[in-house]
Amino acid sequence: MRKQHLYVLLCFTILGSTVFAQKIENLTKLKRQSENELFHHLGQAPRTPAFESEGYWVWGSSVIKGNDGKYHMFVSRFPKSLPFHPGWMVASEIVHAISDTPEGPYKFSDIALPARGAQYWDGRSTHNPRILEYQNKYYLIYMGSTHPFANPTYDQLTLDSPWCTVGRSNKRIGLAIADSPYGPWKRFDEPILKTKPNTFYSFLVSNPSPIIQEDGSVMMIFKGRTYVGDDKFSDMALGMAYAPSIEGPYTVLNNGQPIFQVDGQGEAEDPFLWKDSRGYHAIFKDHVAKFTGEKGGGVMAHSPNGIQWTIDKDPKAYSRTVEWEDGKVEMQGQLERPFLLFENGKATHAFFATMNGAGGFDNATQSWNMVIPIK
């Protein structure tokens, strides 16, 4: 009987190893056969988090190489004394971390954009950082929000609570300026992009990803939602805004319409925008598996002018399934907020916000920022 047990155990071990090997082979095969310029070149991810913070949930990041030769990450964090979702809406802050290498790990330096009081439009939450440098100035574009209530407890903060209802509806896009990535940061009393009645962004604006162009003008992709009746809001849609300079004023392009038809694109969020000699390019989260067949996978799109967009012929830009340096292949609980680091005009690293668990914000016990080298 004991020999039979050992034989069965050995068979399961061999079978498990075979299935695991197939997973690695399948992911490698998918990437090798992909014609997508990002997915095809994604390498193996370091196990060590690019950034994590004890006692905090950590989410999306943006990285820049400073004049000091170091890599500066601006990243959202919010206390684990609140649930992950919607804790970020009411208690997030943007912090600054530093590394000698793009892979990290990044060490905490300072709080770039802390809470500053309910009377400010961004007084209770700063989130979705995007760092830029232009003519020796540093620009931090982000989502901000506020609410007039006392701080909630863990159990009080739900998606139906007043904190979430008000915090979500107050999401706007703002700008902070500094002479150094170490600050101090000058914040503005008004957002650079607000909501507008009777548009796809009448309820909120969020997820900004701007680029500064050769003439100093700015193109920015962002997420919007509109009111549906008095007490409901729409699915997420992506739009484009333009400004003659980084400080604005910003005008939403495409006659105030989203760049994809809302009904046609499915829900999309977490866009990242860049530009090269071929035109504009974007990756974003395929929230409902509309384009990639994978819920939470990444979509790539291209545009000659930032207004008319075409989905890539091989649209999958990344997957929630990640291959690690130790050879293991795992599906992440979430993989969001993609950011590409460019050096000398070439994308070298892809950063993501991620978490453990079986999927869904409620099933995670840890979140961090990870990095994948681009081969």
Side-chain angles (χ1 to χ4, degrees):
M1 182 66 72
R2 186 176 178 186
K3 287 183 179 179
Q4 286 179 325
H5 284 160
L6 288 173
Y7 177 74
V8 170
L9 180 62
L10 180 61
C11 287
F12 274 114
T13 301
I14 294 171
L15 178 62
S17 299
T18 303
V19 171
F20 179 66
Q22 287 175 341
K23 281 184 178 179
I24 294 177
E25 182 182 349
N26 288 343
L27 182 65
T28 303
K29 185 178 179 181
L30 281 174
K31 289 196 290 187
R32 186 173 64 245
Q33 293 179 344
S34 172
E35 295 182 24
N36 186 280
E37 61 190 80
L38 178 58
F39 190 47
H40 181 76
H41 294 285
L42 288 179
Q44 294 178 314
R47 274 285 183 188
T48 302
F51 180 77
E52 59 182 345
S53 186
E54 187 175 354
Y56 290 87
W57 298 110
V58 170
W59 213 230
S61 67
S62 180
V63 176
I64 195 167
K65 189 174 185 180
N67 296 330
D68 56 1
K70 296 184 181 296
Y71 293 86
H72 298 265
M73 175 184 282
F74 292 83
V75 55
S76 305
R77 74 174 189 180
F78 43 105
K80 282 192 168 182
S81 58
L82 295 175
F84 182 97
H85 187 51
W88 60 274
M89 288 188 205
V90 300
S92 180
E93 61 186 7
I94 294 173
V95 301
H96 170 216
I98 307 165
S99 172
D100 291 328
T101 64
E103 293 89 355
Y106 288 77
K107 294 184 178 180
F108 174 83
S109 171
D110 53 85
I111 302 175
L113 301 183
R116 59 172 178 165
Q119 70 270 32
Y120 291 98
W121 70 270
D122 62 348
R124 292 300 189 98
S125 179
T126 55
H127 203 65
N128 297 154
R130 179 75 165 88
I131 185 68
L132 301 168
E133 188 270 336
Y134 183 68
Q135 295 184 346
N136 298 316
K137 293 269 188 187
Y138 290 86
Y139 299 93
L140 189 53
I141 288 184
Y142 60 99
M143 182 280 290
S145 183
T146 191
H147 65 81
F149 311 112
N151 292 328
T153 65
Y154 192 101
D155 292 334
Q156 286 177 321
L157 187 60
T158 67
L159 290 173
D160 296 324
S161 66
W163 291 272
C164 179
T165 300
V166 175
R168 191 199 297 269
S169 66
N170 279 330
K171 289 165 65 175
R172 306 290 185 266
I173 293 172
L175 171 69
I177 302 174
D179 293 328
S180 161
Y182 298 91
W185 293 93
K186 176 192 173 186
R187 292 156 74 171
F188 294 83
D189 292 340
E190 294 290 334
I192 58 170
L193 187 62
K194 301 179 181 180
T195 55
K196 185 178 180 180
N198 302 316
T199 67
F200 78 93
Y201 58 100
S202 66
F203 179 62
L204 63 77
V205 290
S206 185
N207 291 181
S209 182
I211 56 169
I212 301 178
Q213 304 186 105
E214 296 82 358
D215 61 357
S217 65
V218 173
M219 290 283 276
M220 180 171 68
I221 193 169
F222 68 96
K223 180 181 83 176
R225 290 185 191 261
T226 186
Y227 277 102
V228 180
D230 293 331
D231 60 348
K232 294 181 181 179
F233 49 85
S234 70
D235 290 343
M236 299 175 284
L238 302 179
M240 292 293 299
Y242 169 84
S245 70
I246 188 72
E247 295 189 35
Y250 285 78
T251 302
V252 176
L253 302 177
N254 198 28
N255 296 316
Q257 298 298 310
I259 55 175
F260 300 100
Q261 288 301 314
V262 181
D263 294 336
Q265 74 174 8
E267 285 200 277
E269 63 172 338
D270 291 348
F272 175 81
L273 178 71
W274 74 99
K275 183 183 180 183
D276 60 22
S277 59
R278 299 169 297 162
Y280 298 89
H281 313 276
I283 52 176
F284 58 88
K285 178 186 171 186
D286 194 359
H287 195 70
V288 293
K290 173 74 176 180
F291 300 107
T292 64
E294 178 185 353
K295 187 175 181 179
V299 184
M300 181 175 285
H302 310 280
S303 172
N305 54 17
I307 300 173
Q308 283 82 36
W309 287 83
T310 303
I311 301 298
D312 194 89
K313 62 181 179 180
D314 194 347
K316 180 174 279 192
Y318 60 86
S319 172
R320 279 176 57 203
T321 301
V322 173
E323 185 178 359
W324 301 96
E325 278 184 340
D326 58 16
K328 290 184 179 179
V329 174
E330 296 170 344
M331 178 175 279
Q332 299 302 101
Q334 300 285 133
L335 196 74
E336 297 191 351
R337 303 297 304 153
F339 171 83
L340 302 183
L341 176 66
F342 285 82
E343 295 204 67
N344 300 317
K346 223 178 228 190
T348 60
H349 297 80
F351 291 80
F352 297 93
T354 191
M355 58 173 40
N356 64 358
F361 298 124
D362 295 337
N363 297 315
T365 59
Q366 179 190 8
S367 70
W368 66 99
N369 264 266
M370 63 172 289
V371 60
I372 303 178
I374 299 173
K375 297 179 294 183

